[in-house]
Coordinates of all heavy atoms in Angstrom, one line a residue:
I1 N 96.8 63.2 121.1 CA 96.5 64.6 121.0 C 95.0 64.8 121.0 O 94.4 64.3 120.1 CB 97.2 65.3 119.8 CG1 98.7 65.2 119.9 CG2 96.8 66.8 119.8 CD1 99.4 65.8 118.7
S2 N 94.4 65.4 122.0 CA 93.0 65.5 122.1 C 92.4 66.5 121.1 O 93.1 67.4 120.5 CB 92.6 66.0 123.5 OG 93.0 67.3 123.7
S3 N 91.1 66.3 120.8 CA 90.4 67.2 119.9 C 90.4 68.6 120.5 O 90.4 69.6 119.8 CB 89.0 66.7 119.7 OG 88.3 66.6 120.9
K4 N 90.4 68.7 121.8 CA 90.4 70.0 122.5 C 91.7 70.8 122.2 O 91.7 72.0 121.8 CB 90.2 69.9 124.0 CG 90.3 71.1 124.8 CD 89.2 72.1 124.6 CE 87.8 71.5 125.1 NZ 87.7 71.4 126.5
T5 N 92.8 70.0 122.3 CA 94.1 70.6 122.0 C 94.2 71.1 120.5 O 94.7 72.2 120.2 CB 95.2 69.6 122.3 OG1 95.2 69.3 123.7 CG2 96.6 70.2 121.9
R6 N 93.6 70.3 119.6 CA 93.6 70.6 118.2 C 92.8 71.9 118.0 O 93.3 72.8 117.2 CB 93.0 69.5 117.4 CG 93.8 68.2 117.4 CD 93.2 67.1 116.7 NE 93.8 65.8 116.9 CZ 94.9 65.4 116.3 NH1 95.4 66.1 115.3 NH2 95.5 64.2 116.6
E7 N 91.7 72.1 118.7 CA 90.9 73.3 118.5 C 91.6 74.5 119.1 O 91.5 75.6 118.6 CB 89.6 73.1 119.2 CG 88.6 72.2 118.5 CD 88.3 72.6 117.1 OE1 88.1 73.8 116.9 OE2 88.3 71.8 116.2
I8 N 92.4 74.3 120.2 CA 93.1 75.4 120.8 C 94.2 75.9 119.8 O 94.3 77.2 119.7 CB 93.8 74.9 122.1 CG1 92.7 74.8 123.2 CG2 94.8 75.9 122.6 CD1 93.2 74.1 124.5
V9 N 94.9 75.0 119.2 CA 95.9 75.5 118.2 C 95.3 76.3 117.1 O 95.8 77.4 116.7 CB 96.7 74.3 117.6 CG1 97.6 74.7 116.5 CG2 97.5 73.6 118.7
K10 N 94.1 75.8 116.6 CA 93.4 76.6 115.6 C 93.0 77.9 116.1 O 93.1 79.0 115.4 CB 92.2 75.8 115.1 CG 92.5 74.5 114.3 CD 91.2 73.8 113.9 CE 91.5 72.6 113.1 NZ 90.2 71.8 112.7
S11 N 92.5 78.0 117.3 CA 92.0 79.3 117.9 C 93.1 80.3 118.0 O 93.0 81.5 117.7 CB 91.3 79.0 119.2 OG 90.2 78.2 119.1
L12 N 94.3 79.8 118.5 CA 95.4 80.7 118.7 C 95.9 81.2 117.3 O 96.2 82.4 117.2 CB 96.5 79.9 119.4 CG 96.3 79.5 120.8 CD1 97.5 78.6 121.3 CD2 96.2 80.8 121.7
K13 N 95.9 80.4 116.3 CA 96.3 80.8 115.0 C 95.3 81.8 114.4 O 95.7 82.8 113.8 CB 96.5 79.6 114.1 CG 97.6 78.7 114.4 CD 97.9 77.6 113.4 CE 98.4 78.2 112.1 NZ 98.7 77.2 111.1
H14 N 94.0 81.6 114.7 CA 93.0 82.5 114.2 C 93.1 83.8 114.8 O 92.8 84.9 114.2 CB 91.6 81.9 114.5 CG 90.5 82.7 114.0 ND1 90.1 82.8 112.7 CD2 89.6 83.5 114.7 CE1 89.1 83.6 112.5 NE2 88.7 84.0 113.8
K15 N 93.6 83.9 116.1 CA 93.8 85.1 116.8 C 95.1 85.8 116.3 O 95.4 86.9 116.8 CB 93.9 84.9 118.3 CG 92.6 84.6 119.0 CD 92.8 84.3 120.4 CE 91.4 84.2 121.2 NZ 90.8 85.6 121.4
G16 N 95.9 85.2 115.5 CA 97.1 85.8 114.9 C 98.4 85.4 115.6 O 99.4 86.0 115.3
L17 N 98.3 84.5 116.6 CA 99.5 84.1 117.3 C 100.3 83.1 116.5 O 99.8 82.3 115.8 CB 99.2 83.5 118.7 CG 98.9 84.5 119.8 CD1 97.4 85.0 119.7 CD2 99.1 83.9 121.2
K18 N 101.6 83.2 116.6 CA 102.5 82.2 116.0 C 102.6 81.0 117.0 O 102.6 81.2 118.2 CB 104.0 82.8 115.9 CG 104.1 84.0 115.0 CD 103.9 83.6 113.5 CE 104.1 84.8 112.6 NZ 103.9 84.5 111.2
I19 N 102.6 79.8 116.4 CA 102.6 78.6 117.2 C 103.8 77.8 116.8 O 104.1 77.6 115.7 CB 101.4 77.7 117.0 CG1 100.1 78.6 117.1 CG2 101.4 76.6 118.0 CD1 99.9 79.2 118.5
V20 N 104.6 77.5 117.8 CA 105.9 76.7 117.6 C 105.9 75.5 118.5 O 105.6 75.6 119.7 CB 107.1 77.6 118.0 CG1 108.4 76.9 117.6 CG2 107.0 78.9 117.2
A21 N 106.3 74.4 117.9 CA 106.5 73.2 118.7 C 108.0 73.1 119.0 O 108.8 73.3 118.1 CB 106.1 71.9 118.0
A22 N 108.3 72.9 120.3 CA 109.7 72.7 120.7 C 109.9 71.4 121.4 O 109.4 71.2 122.5 CB 110.1 73.9 121.7
T23 N 110.5 70.5 120.7 CA 110.5 69.1 121.1 C 111.9 68.4 121.1 O 112.8 68.9 120.4 CB 109.5 68.3 120.2 OG1 109.5 66.9 120.5 CG2 109.9 68.4 118.7
G24 N 112.0 67.3 121.8 CA 113.1 66.5 121.7 C 113.1 65.5 120.5 O 114.1 64.9 120.2
R25 N 111.9 65.5 119.9 CA 111.8 64.6 118.7 C 112.6 65.0 117.6 O 112.9 66.2 117.4 CB 110.3 64.5 118.3 CG 109.3 64.0 119.2 CD 108.0 63.9 118.6 NE 106.9 63.5 119.5 CZ 105.7 63.2 119.1 NH1 105.4 63.2 117.8 NH2 104.8 62.8 120.0
P26 N 113.0 64.1 116.7 CA 113.6 64.5 115.4 C 112.5 64.9 114.5 O 111.3 64.7 114.7 CB 114.2 63.2 114.9 CG 113.4 62.1 115.5 CD 113.0 62.6 116.9
L27 N 112.9 65.6 113.4 CA 111.9 66.2 112.5 C 111.0 65.1 111.9 O 109.8 65.3 111.7 CB 112.6 66.9 111.3 CG 111.7 67.7 110.4 CD1 111.0 68.8 111.1 CD2 112.5 68.3 109.3
S28 N 111.5 63.9 111.7 CA 110.7 62.8 111.0 C 109.5 62.4 111.9 O 108.6 61.8 111.4 CB 111.6 61.6 110.7 OG 112.1 61.1 111.9
L29 N 109.6 62.6 113.2 CA 108.5 62.2 114.1 C 107.6 63.4 114.5 O 106.9 63.3 115.5 CB 109.1 61.6 115.4 CG 109.9 60.3 115.3 CD1 110.4 59.8 116.7 CD2 109.1 59.2 114.6
C30 N 107.6 64.4 113.6 CA 106.7 65.6 113.9 C 105.6 65.7 112.9 O 104.9 66.8 112.8 CB 107.6 66.8 113.8 SG 108.8 67.0 115.2
E31 N 105.3 64.7 112.1 CA 104.2 64.8 111.1 C 102.9 65.1 111.8 O 102.0 65.9 111.3 CB 104.1 63.5 110.3 CG 105.2 63.4 109.2 CD 105.3 64.7 108.4 OE1 104.3 65.2 107.8 OE2 106.5 65.3 108.3
E32 N 102.6 64.4 112.9 CA 101.4 64.6 113.7 C 101.3 66.1 114.1 O 100.2 66.7 114.2 CB 101.3 63.7 114.8 CG 100.0 63.7 115.6 CD 100.0 62.8 116.8 OE1 101.0 62.4 117.3 OE2 98.9 62.4 117.2
I33 N 102.4 66.7 114.4 CA 102.5 68.1 114.9 C 102.2 69.0 113.7 O 101.4 70.0 113.8 CB 103.8 68.4 115.5 CG1 104.2 67.4 116.6 CG2 103.8 69.8 116.1 CD1 103.1 67.2 117.6
R34 N 102.8 68.7 112.6 CA 102.5 69.5 111.3 C 101.0 69.4 111.0 O 100.4 70.4 110.5 CB 103.3 68.9 110.2 CG 104.8 69.2 110.2 CD 105.4 68.7 109.0 NE 106.9 68.7 108.9 CZ 107.6 69.8 108.5 NH1 107.0 70.9 108.2 NH2 108.9 69.7 108.5
E35 N 100.4 68.3 111.2 CA 99.0 68.1 110.9 C 98.1 69.0 111.8 O 96.9 69.3 111.4 CB 98.5 66.7 111.1 CG 99.1 65.8 110.0 CD 98.9 64.3 110.3 OE1 98.2 64.0 111.3 OE2 99.4 63.5 109.5
L36 N 98.6 69.5 112.9 CA 97.8 70.4 113.7 C 97.8 71.8 113.1 O 97.1 72.7 113.6 CB 98.5 70.5 115.1 CG 98.4 69.3 116.0 CD1 99.2 69.6 117.3 CD2 97.0 68.9 116.3
G37 N 98.7 72.0 112.1 CA 98.8 73.4 111.5 C 100.0 74.1 112.1 O 100.2 75.3 111.8
I38 N 100.9 73.4 112.8 CA 102.1 74.0 113.3 C 103.2 73.9 112.3 O 103.6 72.7 112.0 CB 102.5 73.4 114.7 CG1 101.4 73.6 115.7 CG2 103.8 74.0 115.2 CD1 101.6 72.9 117.0
D39 N 103.8 75.0 111.8 CA 104.8 74.9 110.7 C 106.1 75.4 111.1 O 107.1 75.5 110.3 CB 104.3 75.6 109.4 CG 103.8 77.0 109.7 OD1 104.2 77.6 110.8 OD2 103.1 77.6 108.9
T40 N 106.3 75.7 112.4 CA 107.6 76.1 112.9 C 108.0 75.1 114.0 O 107.2 74.9 115.0 CB 107.6 77.5 113.6 OG1 107.1 78.4 112.6 CG2 109.0 77.9 113.9
L41 N 109.1 74.4 113.8 CA 109.4 73.2 114.6 C 110.8 73.3 115.1 O 111.8 73.4 114.3 CB 109.2 71.9 113.8 CG 107.8 71.6 113.3 CD1 107.9 70.6 112.2 CD2 106.9 71.2 114.4
I42 N 111.0 73.4 116.4 CA 112.3 73.2 117.1 C 112.4 71.8 117.4 O 111.7 71.2 118.3 CB 112.4 74.1 118.3 CG1 112.3 75.6 118.0 CG2 113.6 73.8 119.1 CD1 112.1 76.5 119.2
T43 N 113.4 71.1 116.8 CA 113.5 69.6 117.1 C 114.9 69.3 117.7 O 115.7 70.2 117.8 CB 113.4 68.9 115.7 OG1 114.5 69.1 114.9 CG2 112.1 69.3 115.0
A44 N 115.0 68.0 118.1 CA 116.3 67.5 118.7 C 116.7 68.4 119.8 O 117.9 68.7 120.0 CB 117.4 67.4 117.6
N45 N 115.7 68.8 120.7 CA 116.0 69.6 121.9 C 116.7 71.0 121.5 O 117.3 71.5 122.4 CB 116.9 68.8 122.9 CG 116.0 68.0 123.8 OD1 114.8 68.3 124.0 ND2 116.6 67.0 124.4
G46 N 116.5 71.4 120.3 CA 117.0 72.8 120.0 C 118.1 72.8 118.9 O 118.5 73.8 118.5
A47 N 118.5 71.6 118.5 CA 119.6 71.5 117.5 C 119.2 71.7 116.1 O 120.1 72.0 115.2 CB 120.3 70.2 117.7
F48 N 117.9 71.6 115.7 CA 117.5 71.7 114.3 C 116.1 72.3 114.3 O 115.2 71.8 114.8 CB 117.5 70.3 113.6 CG 117.3 70.4 112.2 CD1 118.2 70.9 111.3 CD2 116.1 69.9 111.6 CE1 118.0 71.0 110.0 CE2 115.9 70.0 110.2 CZ 116.9 70.5 109.4

């Protein structure tokens, strides 16, 4: 995950947009995503 992408997530949140990760990963493999400041996670392709 590039530093540019990290900054984009911060900028979007600063503008007041909600940010959601929607992934095929299970929740346990989303720590790096949480570290970006993303606290809404669609995991397991939508099952959890």
